[in-house]
Amino acid sequence: MKNKTKLNNRIIAFLLALTMVLGIGMFFAPAAQAASSSVISSYNQDEKPKVDAYRASFNGSLAQTMVGRAIWYMEYGFMVYGHSKYATTGYIDCSNFVSLVYKDFGYNITSASRKYDQVGTRVSGVYAKKISGSSRYTLVGVNKLKPGDIFTFWAKDSNGKKYISHVALYMGVINGKPCIINTCKGNPTAIGIVSSFSYWYGSNLYQVRRVLPSSAYAAGGKIKDKGPVIPAKYQMKPTKRIILPKNLRVGF
């Protein structure tokens, strides 16, 4: 037993030395820290009332069910922001999030944000207008929007050319305000709800795209649901029992 231990120690020492000589290293990403009490308090004051209101008006249509799935991921997905596949790593970014929600219901759309100007069709008449005499913006054409529409936002590359850098899923008008759900900062996980287009979400709004057919907005239609993706591992330790949509009253 002692000889075996000595041999193992020698092997470990050799591998460490080889690593140093060759400059090879291994990196283990630390688990994400649990949300602070202030972040949780903010979520309970901002997101939770919107989720409660959405549940109260839920009609069971495909479009609203998809938005409900996005909410489920926000509350039970324990997602951490990162540019890799959620299914294998537990990380998520904006375009992977929107793509993930759509794929749960059989719609295969790109996970590359730059390509979202090719997804579905453009919803005309929706744009952000700068308020006269102010630095703020307001969203125009809210009445033309439908749940499940995809909001796209622009940035500029080194040559000054615009490209789509961020995407989000439209939820609907909740408590009197148009809302989107997307990856953003300041929440317990990587997902949060935005209801203001006054600043960046207004000034950098690019286009709104629609993928769903008209039948998706009618209650009582047949829904093909593959179920949510459960990652192979979580970067954030779940803080509560994960309840699948089928075991929740309205699925989220």
Side-chain angles (χ1 to χ4, degrees):
M1 187 70 177
K2 288 182 179 180
N3 289 336
K4 185 177 181 180
T5 301
K6 288 181 179 179
L7 178 61
N8 287 338
N9 288 340
R10 287 174 181 172
I11 292 172
I12 292 171
F14 171 75
L15 291 174
L16 288 172
L18 183 64
T19 297
M20 293 177 68
V21 170
L22 298 179
I24 300 171
M26 295 182 68
F27 173 74
F28 296 93
Q33 296 295 316
S36 66
S37 58
S38 61
V39 168
I40 294 173
S41 176
S42 176
Y43 178 87
N44 289 335
Q45 292 176 20
D46 189 11
E47 271 81 1
K48 191 176 184 303
K50 294 181 177 68
V51 172
D52 291 343
Y54 196 82
R55 285 195 183 107
S57 62
F58 181 69
N59 68 5
S61 67
L62 171 59
Q64 287 202 4
T65 299
M66 290 179 68
V67 173
R69 179 59 49 81
I71 292 173
W72 185 90
Y73 280 121
M74 179 174 70
E75 297 209 323
Y76 292 99
F78 296 98
M79 295 172 157
V80 172
Y81 189 81
H83 300 290
S84 55
K85 298 295 183 182
Y86 176 69
T88 54
T89 68
Y91 286 113
I92 198 78
D93 63 19
C94 64
S95 50
N96 272 312
F97 177 64
V98 172
S99 177
L100 183 71
V101 171
Y102 267 88
K103 284 180 180 177
D104 280 358
F105 298 92
Y107 290 87
N108 291 315
I109 61 175
T110 182
S111 58
S113 59
R114 288 174 180 259
K115 296 181 179 179
Y116 267 75
D117 58 348
Q118 303 167 33
V119 171
T121 58
R122 183 175 182 176
V123 180
S124 61
V126 180
Y127 59 95
K129 178 182 178 181
K130 192 171 185 179
I131 300 172
S132 180
S134 171
S135 60
R136 296 185 300 166
Y137 288 76
T138 185
L139 186 63
V140 176
V142 174
N143 62 314
K144 300 178 184 296
L145 295 169
K146 294 181 181 295
D149 285 346
I150 300 171
F151 275 55
T152 65
F153 301 87
W154 62 268
K156 288 184 178 180
D157 62 20
S158 58
N159 296 316
K161 185 178 180 181
K162 286 184 178 181
Y163 67 94
I164 296 174
S165 64
H166 185 68
V167 295
L169 198 67
Y170 182 66
M171 302 177 71
V173 175
I174 305 175
N175 295 336
K177 294 183 178 181
C179 295
I180 56 175
I181 185 168
N182 63 160
T183 56
C184 57
K185 296 180 180 180
N187 291 286
T189 69
I191 310 302
I193 297 172
V194 171
S195 60
S196 173
F197 295 84
S198 296
Y199 298 103
W200 187 88
Y201 283 95
S203 65
N204 288 62
L205 178 61
Y206 184 62
Q207 291 180 0
V208 177
R209 313 290 298 183
R210 181 167 297 158
V211 174
L212 298 176
S214 57
S215 59
Y217 309 105
K222 188 176 181 180
I223 297 175
K224 295 181 180 179
D225 182 359
K226 297 179 180 179
V229 171
I230 304 299
K233 61 180 178 180
Y234 290 96
Q235 298 299 327
M236 174 184 292
K237 184 179 180 180
T239 56
K240 62 181 178 181
R241 184 168 67 92
I242 297 172
I243 305 174
L244 293 176
K246 65 182 181 180
N247 296 322
L248 294 168
R249 186 175 63 83
V250 293
F252 59 93

